[in-house]
Amino acid sequence: MGSPGSLRISQVGLRGIVGSGLTAAHVLDFSAAFGTFLGAPGKVVLGRDPRASGRMMREGVIGGLLACGHDVVDLGIVPTPVIQHSIRRLDAAGGISIGASHNSADWNALKFFGARGTYLSTSESSELLDIYHLKKFRFLDWTGVGKLQFDTGAIDSYIDDLAAVFDIPALKGFTILVDCTNGTSSLILRRLADRFGMRFILINESPEDRAFAHEPATNQRMVKMQLAPLMAHVRADAGFLFDIDSDRVAIATERGEAVSEEMVMVLLADEWLARGPGKIVIANLSTTALLEEVAARHGGRVERVPVGRQAAIDALAGYRPETIAIAGEGTGAVMLPAFRFVYDGIASMLGVLEAIRRRGASLSSTLSSYPPYSILKGEVPLESHRIPQMMHELERRYSQGRRNTADGLRVDFNGSWFHVRVSQTEPIVRVICEQRGDPPQALFNELMEFVRSYNS
Amino acid sequence: MSRVHQLKISVSGIRGVVGEFLTPNLAAAFAQAFGTYVGPGRVVLGRDTRATGEMLEHAVSCGLLAAGCEVVKVGVLPTPTVQVYVAETSARGGISITASHNPPEYNALKLFNRQGLFFNQYERTELLDLYHQSEFRQAPNGAIQRVATDTETPMKRHLDRVLAHVDVERIRARRFRVALDGVNGAGSVMSQAFLRDLLGCELHAISVDPTQPFPREAEPRAEVLDGLRQLTLDTGADIAFAQDPDGDRLAVGDETGRIFDNDDVLALAVECALSRRPGPVVVNLTTSAAIEQIAARHGCEVFRAPVGEANVVERMQAVGAVIGGEGSNGGIIYPAVQYCRDSYMGMAFLLDRMAQDGLKASELAAQLPTFFRSLGKMPYQHGRLGQMMQSLEAAFPGARTDRSDGLKLLLEDGWIHLRASNTEPLVRIAAEARTAARLNELLAVASSLN
């Protein structure tokens, strides 16, 4: 039982290795807490990714929610963005996604959404956690328990709304290679092909319950290993790699280049600022500074927020929705408000395809039109009690740059920047360094050495 | 209501008022203990029609999957049907989500071993220890099994077994007119198919909509069966049947609208069974002495067991009984079908007997020995039962005693039985005598106890 790091309960929800950290009891308690948090009985939308443990968790979530008087609308195995979409469509009180996204198959997680189909804010999830810890749930008696319902139209309704924002029939000319990583994306992609004649070549297509073809990470390394080598063989115009619940995506060019995960957001920001000049880009402090350069071309600006989904969700609440062009992070998780304020890998894919279609250029030439930026990333394990002193000293040393201390320390110089922060999930310090042009190797080495000096 | 009674976790399983007391969390944990106990393999899951059944079905299913079991959902079905299915499909065990005859705010888990039998006392104790230790089997992703469903075959498996023991053509030829009160329970659909389609009866049924709540008290006592009585008279039915929500208990009425004592229903079933094949009979301590008289007609022996289906079944297995039951609460156990209380076998026996003898239901009952019976109850208080037992024994010096379940005094012309309920915070007092006058004497003594 309970090996270290196999269970994490936080404002982001419940996540763990099923059987050795995450148990049925956690699932029941958390779903009962969510049912209690939502208050007056209403509809709750439920979906899951294909992991075998999702079958167990689904049963527990349904039990907990029905006991609190909510009717559960079960969508079955669907991408997370479809669950979020259905919450609005069905006028539901909230939703739960069962799935561990980019974690390996032995993990699973619960993610919670409110009535707008967006992740809970930090104050909402704090309340949920308090209810969870108190374990005083509002169960109703036999006259009040909810009923289970099913909905099979979720994917087509979602696609209808995608088609209202993206000119999908115009993308028919592309041949697109997609690595579905045995997750949920094929469920959407096959329908896009059927309905609009899009041409996909799908690999690792079938949703799998026990093991995925490879680690479900949406980054440049994975694209280079899994997707990029196939591009030239199938003569695809673009390649996409999805995580299991299809909320993020990574890309490969028609020439078989694995693209930096930072560039998904850059491409989409450029496209959506062109459509809405002067709007705001919301990005985390660790995402490339190329965003500022792109935003400036369109008279827009970048607002930097701490790393993590929760910070982005909270930040968005403070802006008028129509002023935002795009929000996201350099991990391939991007929201396009023109569609929805939801991390959505499918919408991101359509956005990238529209961008190259509008330019009439290939993906590789589109990407090479941007000035080169080089980013270096490293990590150092560190005992928690040494961290404040290290950060304080770091700030003193680099006092000549523009400082941002919203999440660790980010310092911007002319043409380069660094960000040193503590991971939210592990006791390690992350060091990120970027420079326009060549890699900032000297600065990176200096920072790594400095952080390591506290590790003794 | 007693503070201890709204939730009871005991060797009988888990049972309580759903919501504040019986929660999905408890149900899932108990199911995971069950799954850990029976081991990875198939576990059959059924339920009655209670509003909380669907919710608990999912919670129980979660616990079973987490323990690495494959779940076979059979949906809304009578408890005996679930038990037959467990036995026939070589499952590791089964769970019925039902509070049987208890009111709708209650629910409970009935637990079955791989033979489809209630857990014996050793199994029950081991399971309860496992639950309290909370060290459940935690299946990782690679060991979590699927949820299968089978709503097609369970009914047929059960009813085929029942019909093998009666002359179906003889019953069909009579085209009996039957009145049925299904209490909107788990048997609502199946009983219609059984009586109308399989046994060719002209069926007049009330309360056979499984989507609706119980329209009357769940336990089919004569006092709550006015609707059935009226239906019998209005339709001129030959016989009337009433079930409880999970279809294990059966009440029977004759063509005049009179509802039989449960003891008489059991006595009729024992008569039917022993006519087919003589052998030992097992009934609980509170069942009528009529059973001994009927068994004696066939030269058969009667064994007594403490109250509770599991106790009766254990004794039946030990002595190789051909039939058994609990007269006090309307349960007929016919092991050739399955070791469980089964309202379907009861209905089949009575129709078959009427077809064979050409007698009316009232005439069948008239052949039974006459006894006068009373079942009383009073609130349970700690220490009270022992004092009452002492007073009772002192009031009847020289009576034969049986202390295997409370105290039963066996007198020349009757008996009196005092015990604590297994399921409710009650002391139950039952008495029986050959004459009404003697019964009143016994009850007078009983009511003076405190």
Side-chain angles (χ1 to χ4, degrees):
Chain A
M1 301 268 290
S3 57
S6 62
L7 177 68
R8 189 160 184 90
I9 290 171
S10 72
Q11 278 145 358
V12 181
L14 168 69
R15 180 178 295 265
I17 297 175
V18 174
S20 60
L22 196 167
T23 66
H26 293 119
V27 175
L28 263 302
D29 283 350
F30 239 108
S31 48
F34 186 61
T36 303
F37 165 82
L38 290 178
K43 271 188 231 168
V44 180
V45 177
L46 174 65
R48 67 179 184 93
D49 78 12
R51 282 164 232 256
S53 60
R55 296 195 283 266
M56 177 273 282
M57 294 175 67
R58 169 185 176 272
E59 299 282 348
V61 167
I62 293 171
L65 291 173
L66 294 182
C68 292
H70 301 291
D71 290 335
V72 175
V73 184
D74 185 18
L75 306 183
I77 296 177
V78 288
T80 295
V82 173
I83 300 169
Q84 296 176 270
H85 179 262
S86 286
I87 292 170
R88 288 292 285 269
R89 178 173 61 90
L90 300 168
D91 201 18
I96 295 183
S97 172
I98 301 168
S101 192
H102 53 283
N103 291 119
S104 59
D106 49 345
W107 287 75
N108 216 325
L110 293 182
K111 294 186 266 195
F112 301 95
F113 308 106
R116 286 170 303 160
T118 53
Y119 284 99
L120 299 186
S121 69
T122 299
S123 65
E124 287 169 326
S125 20
S126 299
E127 190 182 330
L128 173 62
L129 270 185
D130 289 346
I131 298 169
Y132 168 78
H133 287 127
L134 199 57
K135 296 207 178 354
K136 289 202 175 134
F137 308 128
R138 200 181 63 97
F139 291 130
L140 301 191
D141 71 10
W142 69 284
T143 61
V145 293
K147 293 240 177 270
L148 177 62
Q149 305 164 6
F150 299 93
D151 183 304
T152 51
I155 284 178
D156 272 318
S157 305
Y158 165 80
I159 290 175
D160 291 343
D161 282 2
L162 275 177
V165 174
F166 300 96
D167 186 1
I168 303 176
L171 304 175
K172 271 196 301 202
F174 292 118
T175 298
I176 306 150
L177 178 64
V178 179
D179 183 348
C180 302
T181 320
N182 303 120
T184 55
S185 55
S186 63
L187 303 172
I188 305 287
L189 302 177
R190 280 203 300 267
R191 285 298 291 155
L192 287 174
D194 290 347
R195 288 180 54 176
F196 300 100
M198 286 186 76
R199 290 213 310 267
F200 292 108
I201 301 164
L202 304 182
I203 59 170
N204 302 319
E205 176 185 355
S206 64
E208 292 291 334
D209 62 351
R210 302 282 184 213
F212 308 128
H214 55 80
E215 180 195 336
T218 52
N219 56 31
Q220 188 174 19
R221 182 177 60 87
M222 199 54 61
V223 171
K224 189 170 186 174
M225 283 195 294
Q226 301 293 335
L227 186 63
L230 302 175
M231 291 298 294
H233 296 290
V234 300
R235 301 191 174 191
D237 299 298
F240 296 87
L241 183 150
F242 284 91
D243 67 345
I244 303 302
D245 72 343
S246 314
D247 66 352
R248 52 176 76 178
V249 72
I251 55 183
T253 70
E254 80 286 357
R255 295 171 56 187
E257 298 149 316
V259 180
S260 160
E261 57 267 21
E262 304 280 330
M263 290 307 294
V264 177
M265 180 151 186
V266 171
L267 264 176
L268 292 170
D270 200 4
E271 179 67 14
W272 258 263
L273 283 167
R275 299 180 188 199
K279 288 193 179 184
I280 298 165
V281 174
I282 294 189
N284 73 35
L285 287 162
S286 288
T287 304
T288 178
L290 177 53
L291 280 176
E292 269 85 357
E293 199 169 326
V294 166
R297 288 187 205 158
H298 300 286
R301 69 173 201 276
V302 181
E303 294 287 346
R304 295 281 177 176
V305 298
V307 174
R309 186 174 77 205
Q310 211 55 51
I313 299 294
D314 290 345
L316 280 171
Y319 296 90
R320 282 184 291 121
E322 66 276 14
T323 63
I324 310 280
I326 183 172
E329 36 185 76
T331 58
V334 178
M335 299 183 190
L336 296 173
F339 180 53
R340 303 190 77 84
F341 279 99
V342 164
Y343 291 123
D344 189 332
I346 304 283
S348 297
M349 176 193 76
L350 295 174
V352 168
L353 293 170
E354 283 209 340
I356 57 175
R357 187 187 67 85
R358 198 176 53 80
R359 291 162 194 244
S362 68
L363 183 54
S364 61
S365 64
T366 299
L367 287 165
S368 62
S369 71
Y370 294 102
Y373 274 71
S374 303
I375 200 162
L376 297 171
K377 301 179 183 182
E379 56 186 51
V380 181
L382 195 59
E383 286 182 37
S384 307
H385 73 275
R386 306 285 312 264
I387 291 168
Q389 191 196 345
M390 186 273 292
M391 284 294 181
H392 185 71
E393 176 64 18
L394 194 67
E395 204 177 323
R396 209 185 53 74
R397 273 195 180 211
Y398 294 94
S399 55
Q400 73 278 32
R402 290 190 309 282
R403 284 180 306 153
N404 183 328
T405 56
D407 178 13
L409 178 68
R410 171 162 161 150
V411 179
D412 280 77
F413 311 102
N414 282 335
S416 68
W417 59 272
F418 74 80
H419 186 201
V420 176
R421 59 179 287 272
V422 181
S423 163
Q424 289 170 349
T425 52
E426 299 157 275
I428 60 174
V429 173
R430 295 192 191 282
V431 176
I432 296 140
C433 227
E434 192 188 45
Q435 183 166 271
R436 197 178 197 274
D438 295 332
Q441 200 64 54
L443 177 60
F444 181 72
N445 292 348
E446 185 181 301
L447 285 163
M448 289 295 283
E449 195 174 322
F450 171 78
V451 177
R452 282 200 195 99
S453 72
Y454 281 80
N455 187 21
S456 53
Chain B
M1 187 174 282
S2 158
R3 67 198 153 97
V4 291
H5 187 54
Q6 301 190 10
L7 178 70
K8 200 167 179 72
I9 297 174
S10 70
V11 289
S12 304
I14 181 166
R15 179 180 164 289
V17 175
V18 176
E20 205 177 337
F21 302 97
L22 176 51
T23 64
N25 314 53
L26 273 173
F30 206 86
Q32 197 170 357
F34 179 88
T36 304
Y37 184 68
V38 301
R42 274 178 302 120
V43 174
V44 177
L45 181 57
R47 63 182 172 94
D48 73 16
T49 53
R50 272 161 223 272
T52 56
E54 181 178 53
M55 179 275 283
L56 287 171
E57 179 188 290
H58 288 286
V60 167
S61 182
C62 175
L64 291 172
L65 290 169
C69 297
E70 177 184 334
V71 177
V72 183
K73 289 187 175 177
V74 293
V76 171
L77 278 184
T79 296
T81 314
V82 174
Q83 292 181 256
V84 168
Y85 188 83
V86 171
E88 281 212 352
T89 59
S90 318
R92 288 292 183 122
I95 298 180
S96 251
I97 300 167
T98 172
S100 194
H101 60 287
N102 289 126
E105 62 268 28
Y106 281 86
N107 218 329
L109 307 184
K110 286 186 175 177
L111 312 172
F112 312 118
N113 67 14
R114 59 200 313 161
Q115 285 98 38
L117 308 180
F118 277 85
F119 274 17
N120 67 39
Q121 55 174 318
Y122 309 105
E123 293 170 315
R124 294 196 300 256
T125 307
E126 280 173 6
L127 172 63
L128 191 62
D129 287 346
L130 197 62
Y131 170 73
H132 286 131
Q133 287 160 14
S134 296
E135 284 172 15
F136 308 144
R137 190 175 129 83
Q138 305 283 2
N141 188 66
I144 288 182
Q145 303 301 314
R146 65 188 186 130
V147 178
T149 55
D150 184 357
T151 52
E152 294 298 314
T153 73
M155 186 175 98
K156 183 173 181 345
R157 289 173 190 271
H158 179 195
L159 296 182
D160 280 355
R161 284 192 179 194
V162 168
L163 295 179
H165 301 284
V166 293
D167 187 335
V168 174
E169 285 317 308
R170 182 164 77 189
I171 297 171
R172 290 185 66 92
R174 287 290 303 275
R175 296 199 50 77
F176 286 115
R177 192 174 288 173
V178 175
L180 170 72
D181 175 348
V183 74
N184 293 336
S188 294
V189 174
M190 178 161 150
S191 300
Q192 293 181 71
F194 178 65
L195 292 166
R196 186 182 286 135
D197 304 337
L198 296 176
L199 293 177
C201 300
E202 177 189 322
L203 181 64
H204 299 276
I206 53 172
S207 308
V208 285
D209 183 349
T211 65
Q212 294 301 307
F214 309 150
R216 57 156 164 91
E217 193 182 302
E219 185 169 5
R221 299 186 297 126
E223 295 82 348
V224 300
L225 296 178
D226 285 343
L228 181 63
R229 207 173 278 125
Q230 195 60 51
L231 179 68
T232 307
L233 297 175
D234 289 350
T235 61
D238 299 308
I239 193 165
F241 296 124
Q243 291 174 296
D244 75 340
D246 74 329
D248 58 355
R249 298 183 179 207
L250 176 69
V252 181
D254 67 18
E255 74 285 358
T256 71
R258 189 173 73 91
I259 306 295
F260 298 159
D261 263 14
N262 286 329
D263 280 281
D264 288 335
V265 176
L266 178 60
L268 286 170
V270 168
E271 170 65 34
C272 294
L274 296 183
S275 303
R276 294 185 67 85
R277 186 160 81 87
V281 178
V282 175
V283 292
N284 73 23
L285 283 169
T286 295
T287 302
S288 171
I291 303 297
E292 270 86 357
Q293 294 203 6
I294 288 166
R297 288 180 196 166
H298 296 274
C300 297
E301 196 177 354
V302 177
F303 297 86
R304 295 275 174 170
V307 174
E309 181 175 346
N311 297 320
V312 173
V313 164
E314 259 183 84
R315 193 88 178 114
M316 286 177 74
Q317 291 180 292
V319 304
V322 297
I323 188 165
E326 299 192 274
S328 48
N329 53 28
I332 294 159
I333 302 170
Y334 190 60
V337 171
Q338 171 71 356
Y339 279 106
C340 64
R341 293 189 294 196
D342 183 0
S343 60
Y344 293 90
M345 195 62 235
M347 290 190 264
F349 266 146
L350 288 165
L351 291 171
D352 193 41
R353 188 69 177 202
M354 285 165 65
Q356 179 192 324
D357 296 352
L359 293 176
K360 292 180 177 175
S362 61
E363 292 167 344
L364 275 183
Q367 296 177 338
L368 294 170
T370 307
F371 281 93
F372 293 86
R373 290 184 279 267
S374 166
L375 294 168
K377 61 189 178 187
M378 62 181 67
Y380 182 89
Q381 289 167 11
H382 295 297
R384 185 178 190 178
L385 180 65
Q387 279 182 12
M388 290 173 70
M389 286 167 64
Q390 292 175 30
S391 310
L392 184 64
E393 190 172 16
F396 295 97
R400 278 191 298 133
T401 59
D402 184 328
R403 290 176 179 273
S404 57
D405 181 9
L407 177 65
K408 183 173 180 180
L409 295 179
L410 294 141
L411 311 168
E412 282 302 313
D413 50 0
W415 54 264
I416 185 163
H417 185 199
L418 184 66
R419 58 179 285 274
S421 164
N422 293 326
T423 53
E424 296 170 85
L426 295 173
V427 171
R428 294 194 185 277
I429 302 172
E432 184 180 70
R434 296 307 304 253
T435 65
R438 181 56 173 156
L439 177 65
N440 286 334
E441 280 176 37
L442 296 179
L443 292 177
V445 175
S447 64
S448 69
L449 299 174
N450 48 45

